[in-house]
Amino acid sequence: MGDSGRAARSAYLPIAEHGLIGDLRTVALIGTDGTIDWYCCPRFDAPSVFGSLLDADRGGCFELTTSVPAGTKQFYFPDTNVLITRFSAPDGVGEVQDFMPIAERSSEINRHRLIRRVLCVRGSLPFRARVAPRFGYGAEPHILRLDGRHAVFESASLALALTASVPLEADGVDVRAEFKLDEGEAAVFALDRVGGEVGTRPCPLEEAEEEFRATVAFWRGWLAASRYRGRWREMVHRSALTLKLLTYAPTGGIVAAPTTSLPERLGGERNWDYRYVWIRDAAFCVYALLRLGFTGEAEAFMGFLSKHATMCTDGPSGPLQIMYGIDGRSDLPERQLSHLEGYEGSAPVRVGNAAVDQLQLDIYGALIDSIYLYDKWGRSISSDLWDRVCTLVEWVRENWDRPDEGVWETRAGRSDFVYSRLMCWVAIERAMRMANRRGLPADLVGWRESRDAIYRQIMRRGWSARLEAFVQRLDGDVLDASVLMMPLAKFVSPTDPKWLSTLDALGRVLVSDSLVYRYDHGVSPDGIAGEEGTFSICSFWYVEAMARAGRIDEARLAFEKMLTYGNHLGLYAEEIGRTGEQLGNFPQAFTHLSLISAAFFLDHALG
């Protein structure tokens, strides 16, 4: 998997060469060389403390590795989000156990603790550590206070305390340690946020063991609620554990990804900040987790909507924004961090997201579909939530026939996207189902008229006789993978001749060895320079669409191929490049929820 014996960490690890740990408030990315190169404290969207993922020299990192050349392997402690990186050298084998304890007591809520426990399991090994935080995305200076095995890094906005079971020494404003462990010996490094009501506290070896056991028990206890017993249990459960890591416990929001500005193309400008709650992505996450039996996350997201997603019928993006901050804030100004070079020199690095004010009509279908499923598989929705659903449906009825920026968030102006119309149909159709099933008050006659008008428009103007396929835009001739949702959303029968013809056309034009491109940038410019890789959510949609169409063998082969593109831990970024490399923010919720859905239906189809 790798060699930890590099003298200096000047190169960037591939995006896929990372694992993820977290505490339901933030995460850390840990490379296969044992280096933490992404960590924002105290929450997902806070400025980075370790950010060498976006600038190897200025970003800051926490290195923990062997002092001699060693082969490395990385895996998760079974059924948990505790990450283990093993080092194998001629004289010994050691491992680093990385985890973040989950704060379940109110007294621990503001303590953000990251524990790195080093063990020598065979022979003896020398280790070295270097802790070099760079606060405020590498722009905020700090001072160091060191006292034996205790160090405090303090900037104007944040202070972190490092306690270790081995001696520490100063290196400017950084800290280093070198130590040797024999078989059966261990060392611990604990990094805590301090300040205010949170004081420093040591982390002796015994306490680290207790925290380890408690963290393992938390994750295994959570995963025990899963109802999935199918063929791909390990991959599905890893995806579920990853989605859980992307939830922000204080509000119930779910981030699209825990990183910003990892490029969709090396050297390109398709670099975006995904550390926010997209209504669409979170709604699809709710669907995937409900499928597995996790109702608590769905309930928490419904709480997020009720408390934070304030409806504004005259807003530029409709009653709801397409995204919100994890705390529910609506203002997410986009800016560029010009002092950071970007991953592998892929500038700009962006913070915030200017797409927040876009009109994306499809979010209403995704949201109401998730509410419908929660009402069906979770708990019956409240009368207040039903009133909000009715308000959304009435807005959709009046606005579905408008151009918008679409699901892919193009920056080339609005257009009449077929997917947006499709999901407006879903919004009304699912609301009608809820009203009929529960006997809830609704203008069913008016809703039916609007629903049927959308259906007829898509069938008439969203179909290209020349391509014999449903297309990206009304009256257009460009294929788009988003139409793969048509049978999944039950808009069209999966065996309808028009749909089968569409599936064939998509396979010829947008599919490359089971990998699916969103659309052809050459014939459908989106206002952003550069190319991109294949979109993994589309690849899993393609698997499910083929399975629903009865092409079971093809679907299973495509699914198995997609599994080979996951990283060594089963994690996926947003895209896959031409040579199989992971591209874009990592890991991405959209990809993992679509894996769960595809596996679920493929299992069902295989019997």
Side-chain angles (χ1 to χ4, degrees):
M1 183 179 292
D3 183 345
S4 69
R6 290 179 291 180
R9 195 175 193 274
S10 58
Y12 292 86
L13 281 178
I15 292 171
E17 291 290 311
H18 290 87
L20 186 76
I21 61 171
D23 62 359
L24 308 183
R25 285 161 179 78
T26 188
V27 301
L29 283 182
I30 302 164
T32 51
D33 60 356
T35 297
I36 298 176
D37 55 14
W38 183 253
Y39 174 56
C40 298
C41 185
R43 54 189 226 178
F44 290 107
D45 58 353
S48 62
V49 173
F50 302 130
S52 58
L53 188 65
L54 296 180
D55 193 308
D57 296 324
R58 299 183 188 91
C61 63
F62 187 158
E63 298 175 5
L64 184 52
T65 185
T66 54
S67 302
V68 295
T72 64
K73 290 193 182 299
Q74 199 175 61
F75 63 98
Y76 280 109
F77 199 75
D79 294 336
T80 76
N81 280 315
V82 173
L83 188 67
I84 298 176
T85 308
R86 287 177 72 87
F87 298 89
S88 302
D91 293 330
V93 176
E95 66 183 39
V96 176
Q97 299 172 346
D98 284 304
F99 59 98
M100 295 172 70
I102 310 298
E104 298 189 82
R105 296 191 303 270
S106 58
S107 60
E108 298 291 305
I109 291 299
N110 292 319
R111 178 180 295 281
H112 297 274
R113 168 164 274 196
L114 196 162
I115 296 178
R116 313 200 73 184
R117 187 165 70 156
V118 195
L119 298 91
C120 182
V121 297
R122 199 171 73 231
S124 64
L125 271 180
F127 289 89
R128 59 179 174 83
R130 174 174 168 261
V131 187
R134 297 293 181 265
F135 295 88
Y137 299 113
E140 196 172 286
H142 71 274
I143 60 172
L144 168 68
R145 296 199 305 273
L146 178 62
D147 182 11
R149 300 182 179 188
H150 180 80
V152 175
F153 307 92
E154 189 171 0
S155 75
S157 61
L158 183 69
L160 296 175
L162 176 72
T163 55
S165 61
V166 297
L168 303 173
E169 59 182 61
D171 180 9
V173 292
D174 304 332
V175 164
R176 291 182 181 272
E178 293 194 10
F179 56 98
K180 186 174 183 180
L181 297 178
D182 293 324
E183 187 169 325
E185 292 183 332
V188 169
F189 295 83
L191 191 69
D192 286 285
R193 177 202 182 194
V194 293
E197 298 178 0
V198 184
T200 60
R201 94 173 187 218
C203 187
L205 295 174
E206 297 78 12
E207 183 174 343
E209 173 65 24
E210 292 172 9
E211 298 263 35
F212 175 85
R213 289 177 180 171
T215 305
V216 166
F218 172 85
W219 288 114
R220 288 184 169 171
W222 180 80
L223 192 62
S226 171
R227 294 198 299 254
Y228 182 78
R229 301 290 183 270
R231 295 165 176 80
W232 296 284
R233 190 170 177 222
E234 191 172 328
M235 292 299 296
V236 167
H237 280 175
R238 179 49 50 199
S239 289
L241 284 162
T242 302
L243 292 182
K244 181 64 172 174
L245 272 181
L246 301 185
T247 60
Y248 183 62
T251 63
I254 305 171
V255 297
T259 57
T260 179
S261 303
L262 290 179
E264 297 175 15
R265 176 175 172 268
L266 288 182
E269 63 179 59
R270 294 175 178 269
N271 318 320
W272 315 108
D273 192 349
Y274 276 14
R275 299 171 298 159
Y276 306 112
V277 182
W278 266 257
I279 292 293
R280 172 196 309 111
D281 299 44
F284 279 139
C285 282
V286 165
Y287 166 79
L289 291 171
L290 277 172
R291 262 291 190 42
L292 300 178
F294 298 106
T295 57
E297 287 65 33
E299 188 170 344
F301 179 61
M302 295 302 156
F304 176 89
L305 291 173
S306 299
K307 189 172 182 180
H308 300 292
T310 306
M311 290 200 291
C312 176
T313 53
D314 58 352
S317 59
L320 297 175
Q321 292 185 174
I322 66 166
M323 72 181 92
Y324 295 85
I326 55 175
D327 55 359
R329 73 187 187 282
S330 56
D331 190 24
L332 307 173
E334 182 176 297
R335 59 191 175 95
Q336 297 184 7
L337 304 181
S338 57
H339 64 284
L340 298 179
E341 72 167 7
Y343 177 81
E344 293 275 19
S346 302
V349 172
R350 292 183 172 95
V351 172
N353 201 303
V356 66
D357 291 326
Q358 286 192 355
L359 175 65
Q360 296 177 17
L361 294 168
D362 69 284
I363 68 170
Y364 300 100
L367 177 58
I368 294 177
D369 195 23
S370 72
I371 294 172
Y372 160 74
L373 292 170
Y374 176 67
D375 184 71
K376 181 179 178 182
W377 294 339
R379 293 185 179 181
S380 297
I381 64 169
S382 67
S383 55
D384 286 345
L385 185 51
W386 176 248
D387 288 342
R388 298 186 78 188
V389 168
C390 291
T391 300
L392 293 176
V393 171
E394 290 302 329
W395 186 89
V396 169
R397 286 185 63 201
E398 295 175 7
N399 291 274
W400 65 267
D401 199 14
R402 289 174 61 183
D404 70 341
E405 276 88 2
V407 62
W408 304 134
E409 292 181 5
T410 62
R411 299 197 177 190
R414 296 179 176 179
S415 192
D416 292 308
F417 293 105
V418 170
Y419 181 79
S420 298
R421 301 298 203 275
L422 165 70
M423 296 308 286
C424 285
W425 178 91
V426 169
I428 301 172
E429 200 275 339
R430 297 304 190 269
M432 291 175 65
R433 286 196 195 191
M434 267 190 287
N436 285 321
R437 193 169 64 83
R438 293 269 314 277
L440 296 168
D443 177 14
L444 289 175
V445 173
W447 290 9
R448 183 176 293 109
E449 287 177 358
S450 299
R451 181 198 66 181
D452 295 349
I454 300 171
Y455 178 90
R456 284 191 289 268
Q457 185 190 74
I458 293 174
M459 285 298 187
R460 187 175 66 253
R461 299 177 56 197
W463 171 261
S464 166
R466 184 178 73 82
L467 296 180
E468 294 187 322
F470 292 106
V471 289
Q472 182 185 67
R473 307 166 197 240
L474 299 181
D475 307 316
D477 280 313
V478 175
L479 292 171
D480 190 303
S482 64
V483 301
L484 286 164
M485 275 295 291
M486 282 183 161
L488 279 56
K490 297 181 170 57
F491 175 85
V492 67
S493 163
T495 56
D496 185 296
K498 279 189 171 181
W499 174 249
L500 294 177
S501 176
T502 300
L503 199 55
D504 290 338
L506 292 170
R508 289 192 301 271
V509 177
L510 296 182
V511 180
S512 172
D513 189 41
S514 83
L515 301 176
V516 182
Y517 290 92
R518 294 190 296 179
Y519 48 86
D520 185 340
H521 289 273
V523 295
S524 181
D526 56 13
I528 308 160
E531 298 177 351
E532 64 179 15
T534 58
F535 241 62
S536 294
I537 186 173
C538 298
S539 302
F540 285 119
W541 281 351
Y542 184 62
V543 168
E544 189 169 346
M546 284 199 297
R548 288 176 182 266
R551 302 175 180 180
I552 308 299
D553 290 341
E554 293 174 63
R556 184 170 188 177
L557 180 59
F559 186 74
E560 294 289 358
K561 284 182 177 180
M562 271 304 296
L563 295 185
T564 70
Y565 287 106
N567 82 342
H568 56 287
L569 300 168
L571 303 181
Y572 291 83
E574 185 173 36
E575 301 180 19
I576 295 171
R578 292 185 180 275
T579 56
E581 71 276 19
Q582 302 271 354
L583 295 172
N585 285 311
F586 175 89
Q588 209 215 18
F590 232 169
T591 306
H592 286 279
L593 65 90
S594 61
L595 182 156
I596 291 171
S597 184
F600 213 96
F601 192 85
L602 197 51
D603 265 319
H604 176 74
L606 288 165

